[in-house]
Amino acid sequence: MRASSLAILAASFLVGAAASPLPQGAVGLHLAPCTIGKTKVPSRCGTFVVYEDRAARSGRTIALPVVILNARHPNGRALVWNPGGPGAGSTQFASFIADGQFLKEIDRLRDRYDIAFLDNRGTSGPHYQQCDLAPRAHPDLYFRQTWPDSLLTACRARLARNADLSLYTTNVAADDLDDFRAAMGYPKLVLDGNSYGTYFYLVYIRRHRGYVESAILDGVAPPHILIIPLEDAYGAQLAMNSLAESCKSDLKCNRNFPAFAAHFAALARRFDDGPLEITIQNPVTKRSQKVALSKEVFADRLRQTLYTAGPAAYVPYIVERAYRGDYVPLGRMIDQTTQGLASILGTGLNLSVTCAEDIPFITDDEIARTSAGSFEGDARVRAQQRACKIWNVEPVSADFNQPVRSDVSVLMVSGTDDPTSPQRYGKVELQYLPNGRRALVKGASHGFETPCIDKLKVDFVLAGTAKHLNVDACGGSFARPPFATSMNGF
């Protein structure tokens, strides 16, 4: 999944996140002065109203929430940030960025740049394409299927009453963003995206390259690789291999879990004959409950737990307990990862994008190639194919999945242990971006931040080019947190 690099981390940031007022008036901008965050950063809040059917330029409209942190020294320049997904809105993070709780480079850039947050269509507001596929009282449903058939069918019917689900693709969202740029009077934009945000901005560059000042691509996900969900099996195995190597070289982890890799392999094989009946604690009743845990859910929630180093530090302990027959920690991991993603990700929008742009172009030969040798196998891609049959949106044109070629100045940031945007994706895309360079950070996963990388991003934006930057300086700037020997703090 192209989840935000903050997909797990940011679940704890939602309380108090910026909320934009509902729209008033016709198509276009509707902004008013506001303050954002505990530090009360002077800002503008409101909506940008667009037609759902951009080609028709009539009919149903969508109000896209907007937050703009005003530049300290305004000069008509702006940086736009996108957290990824697809399905995550950016405005919900505005207050935390304003207060400097993460993405600290953005606050430094606010000296010269407006920092703009525009939610992609379908990620928030009255047209939020969200499906409750993980009802907390019924873990039996979301431990068995990533997208429970009955819940997904009902959700699609509900959303389709007020939306054409085929009009929520990346191309359309990129054009919304450019209309917003023009309405604000920004001559060009600095693009700063994470995960699917990099995919989204590469599409924007392809469609509107004349309006891009520079781009930061963090956890690079090029649109032509069909990453969701084709490459997930490869990324999952890569991240688990790296975790096993780190555990083996760590004195504490190796002492407590000397057979981690072997025990994980044995645990994964238990799913070869179908779902595994396990006992978990029901998150609502707090009572023990038997559920059927499928391979698709086990493998994908584990992969998503590896997105960030903090949760990943618990995996050796969780695996060891499950190997010995105690599945309560594993159940807790699956539940919390599921609920954390659901709290920030519009599941419906995620499917509206991926079922139009990825799934129609995946072949059985490609599935066999990419799933070979991975503990996940083809479970995730087959599950999403099943979900997309239910979601039933029109595929985009096949030429969408061509490499993005541009001479825009680009800084890429990749972690060597990223399970969803492995480092080779950035390497592949670099050959089409002659003015692009990449910082590769050893041991880092999908969601990470270091002072060195923060400074590199600031230097890049202010210089307008990465040509003279030492992109290798941050290669050793990331350190894993200590491995856990209990579930305390998870």
Side-chain angles (χ1 to χ4, degrees):
M1 163 193 266
R2 291 187 200 101
S4 161
S5 67
L6 299 170
I8 305 300
L9 178 65
S12 63
F13 287 164
L14 293 178
V15 178
S20 300
L22 293 178
Q24 293 182 356
V27 166
L29 273 172
H30 303 273
L31 299 179
C34 62
T35 59
I36 295 296
K38 295 178 181 178
T39 52
K40 299 189 181 302
V41 171
S43 306
R44 285 161 285 174
C45 301
T47 55
F48 182 56
V49 181
V50 299
Y51 287 113
E52 182 186 62
D53 189 337
R54 292 183 55 85
R57 298 192 61 80
S58 63
R60 190 159 44 211
T61 59
I62 309 170
L64 308 178
V66 176
V67 174
I68 300 169
L69 308 180
N70 297 334
R72 297 181 183 92
H73 302 97
N75 62 2
R77 302 166 85 182
L79 178 150
V80 291
W81 180 74
N82 188 289
S90 61
T91 59
Q92 62 181 317
F93 301 97
S95 63
F96 302 100
I97 292 175
D99 290 340
Q101 291 182 276
F102 67 104
L103 300 181
K104 297 176 180 61
E105 81 278 3
I106 289 182
D107 182 64
R108 289 179 58 192
L109 291 169
R110 195 169 63 83
D111 188 62
R112 305 188 190 184
Y113 290 86
D114 286 349
I115 308 302
F117 305 86
L118 175 72
D119 286 352
N120 285 23
R121 55 173 58 199
T123 65
S124 63
H127 290 84
Y128 187 25
Q129 289 187 24
Q130 178 60 294
C131 299
D132 183 9
L133 303 183
R136 290 185 63 81
H138 298 285
D140 51 299
L141 295 176
Y142 59 88
F143 274 66
R144 183 69 182 250
Q145 288 186 299
T146 309
W147 297 273
D149 291 351
S150 59
L151 299 180
L152 190 63
T153 300
C155 182
R156 193 205 185 283
R158 173 177 61 82
L159 293 176
R161 287 195 290 268
N162 296 296
D164 182 340
L165 300 181
S166 294
L167 295 177
Y168 289 77
T169 61
T170 304
N171 278 342
V172 177
D175 292 347
D176 289 340
L177 174 60
D178 197 60
D179 282 355
F180 169 75
R181 176 203 59 77
M184 290 296 300
Y186 297 133
K188 292 188 176 184
L189 298 173
V190 173
L191 310 175
D192 189 349
N194 297 70
S195 192
Y196 168 77
T198 72
Y199 174 107
F200 172 62
Y201 284 146
L202 283 167
V203 172
Y204 181 88
I205 289 169
R206 178 161 59 195
R207 297 176 72 82
H208 305 287
R209 66 184 65 195
Y211 300 108
V212 180
E213 180 178 327
S214 61
I216 298 170
L217 306 180
D218 213 333
V220 187
H224 65 281
I225 295 181
L226 301 175
I227 296 170
I228 299 183
L230 182 63
E231 298 282 348
D232 282 348
Y234 165 81
Q237 191 62 54
L238 174 74
M240 281 302 300
N241 291 346
S242 296
L243 186 68
E245 291 173 7
S246 296
C247 181
K248 187 175 181 179
S249 63
D250 181 89
L251 182 63
K252 176 184 176 183
C253 190
N254 192 50
R255 183 176 65 245
N256 284 279
F257 314 110
F260 169 54
H263 287 181
F264 173 72
L267 175 62
R269 285 194 297 270
R270 294 178 190 176
F271 294 90
D272 289 348
D273 296 325
L276 191 65
E277 185 177 80
I278 68 172
T279 300
I280 65 165
Q281 184 184 69
N282 184 292
V284 174
T285 66
K286 307 302 181 186
R287 296 176 180 173
S288 293
Q289 177 180 348
K290 289 187 181 299
V291 296
L293 173 62
S294 68
K295 182 177 182 179
E296 71 180 68
V297 173
F298 164 75
D300 212 45
R301 295 304 183 233
L302 177 58
R303 181 181 64 85
Q304 290 154 349
T305 301
L306 297 175
Y307 276 19
T308 50
Y314 290 83
V315 169
Y317 172 79
I318 291 169
V319 166
E320 184 65 20
R321 296 313 309 159
Y323 173 79
R324 297 182 180 280
D326 176 9
Y327 293 102
V328 172
L330 177 62
R332 184 173 168 187
M333 180 202 79
I334 289 172
D335 181 68
Q336 291 198 15
T337 302
T338 301
Q339 299 300 333
L341 287 168
S343 69
I344 62 170
L345 194 69
T347 309
L349 190 279
N350 187 282
L351 291 174
S352 291
V353 172
T354 60
C355 295
E357 298 174 5
D358 295 287
I359 290 294
F361 307 103
I362 293 174
T363 67
D364 285 344
D365 285 346
E366 288 173 320
I367 294 172
R369 173 182 59 82
T370 55
S371 62
S374 171
F375 70 89
E376 187 169 69
D378 65 355
R380 165 60 192 269
V381 66
R382 296 303 185 189
Q384 194 150 353
Q385 286 179 324
R386 183 187 70 236
C388 286
K389 286 182 179 179
I390 295 172
W391 206 248
N392 189 28
V393 291
E394 295 178 11
V396 299
S397 172
D399 63 7
F400 176 85
N401 286 298
Q402 295 297 313
V404 174
R405 304 171 188 269
S406 175
D407 59 1
V408 165
S409 293
V410 171
L411 174 66
M412 296 181 179
V413 179
S414 298
T416 61
D417 294 5
D418 192 332
T420 193
S421 298
Q423 57 175 297
R424 72 177 178 87
Y425 298 170
K427 184 178 181 180
V428 168
E429 184 58 35
L430 269 177
Q431 64 185 309
Y432 305 108
L433 302 172
N435 291 320
R437 297 189 70 195
R438 181 178 63 151
L440 184 62
V441 183
K442 182 175 175 55
S445 188
H446 195 56
F448 73 96
E449 183 178 8
T450 73
C452 185
I453 288 294
D454 287 348
K455 182 179 185 303
L456 187 67
K457 291 176 180 178
V458 171
D459 291 345
F460 165 70
V461 173
L462 296 182
T465 178
K467 284 184 178 180
H468 306 296
L469 297 181
N470 182 2
V471 294
D472 298 325
C474 300
S477 63
F478 179 80
R480 283 185 180 273
F483 284 97
T485 55
S486 74
M487 293 298 283
N488 291 338
F490 188 87

